[in-house]
Amino acid sequence: MLVIFGGLPGSGKTTISRALARRLGAVYVRVDTIEQAIRTSVDPSTDIGAAGYVVAYGIAADNLALGRVVIADSVNPLMITREAWLAVAQRSGVIAAEVEVICSDKTEHRRRVETRKTDVEGLVKPTWQEVVGRIYDDWGQTPIIVDTAARDVPEIVEALIVKLRTERLLPI
């Protein structure tokens, strides 16, 4: 199975997706890490475009072919990136679950964005203005919505696992 996470920076998607990957023993693929590694390997003025996502799709497909559950962590802001993740699952012959992580408390979301430290060497986190000004397409189809504003990580992960099992996306 491929669990496709998305959400604005600071919403909590990396925290939740990592915890879910740990809980399920899944492969964790983070686009931020891949993009920063690419930036480090090229001239700093080079626009890497979609390269991080394209590499992530390949890594996910390789691991899905091995029968592993893959957790994909990215902002996933555009319909084209979401469709590409779904295509990875379809080509791999696995079920895909889309999870949008939100923080409904805008004050808390802003606090997170403005106070968090990077955990990827060299990665510059976006400012609050960059987060709220970002192009972020509506999901269209209904993803599983996870709101990190009022619940703690273990509670969110357990509820997400129950939801995935209820919808028969994870084995019981």
Side-chain angles (χ1 to χ4, degrees), residues 62-139:
D62 283 348
N63 282 282
L64 291 168
L66 294 173
R68 301 295 307 270
V69 172
V70 174
I71 308 294
D73 172 8
S74 64
V75 173
N76 207 12
L78 306 173
M79 193 57 65
I80 194 167
T81 60
R82 297 173 196 149
E83 289 170 353
W85 280 118
L86 291 171
V88 169
Q90 184 177 26
R91 283 191 308 273
S92 300
V94 301
I95 295 169
E98 294 180 287
V99 179
E100 183 181 19
V101 180
I102 65 168
C103 180
S104 61
D105 180 337
K106 295 304 172 205
T107 302
E108 172 61 13
H109 190 182
R110 182 175 186 160
R111 184 198 66 74
R112 291 177 189 174
V113 168
E114 293 178 342
T115 61
R116 67 191 180 140
K117 304 290 185 232
T118 188
D119 60 342
V120 177
E121 187 176 336
L123 179 64
V124 177
K125 298 286 189 176
T127 65
W128 177 246
Q129 281 311 111
E130 290 169 329
V131 169
V132 296
R134 177 183 288 262
I135 295 172
Y136 190 82
D137 293 343
D138 183 87
W139 281 72

Side-chain angles (χ1 to χ4, degrees), residues 9-31:
S11 61
K13 78 187 155 306
T14 296
T15 301
I16 301 303
S17 59
R18 273 187 183 152
L20 181 64
R22 191 175 302 113
R23 175 80 162 63
L24 297 177
V27 173
Y28 175 71
V29 178
R30 184 177 180 195
V31 171

Side-chain angles (χ1 to χ4, degrees), residues 44-59:
S45 65
T46 302
D47 177 12
I48 65 166
Y53 276 84
V54 173
V55 170
Y57 303 147
I59 293 169

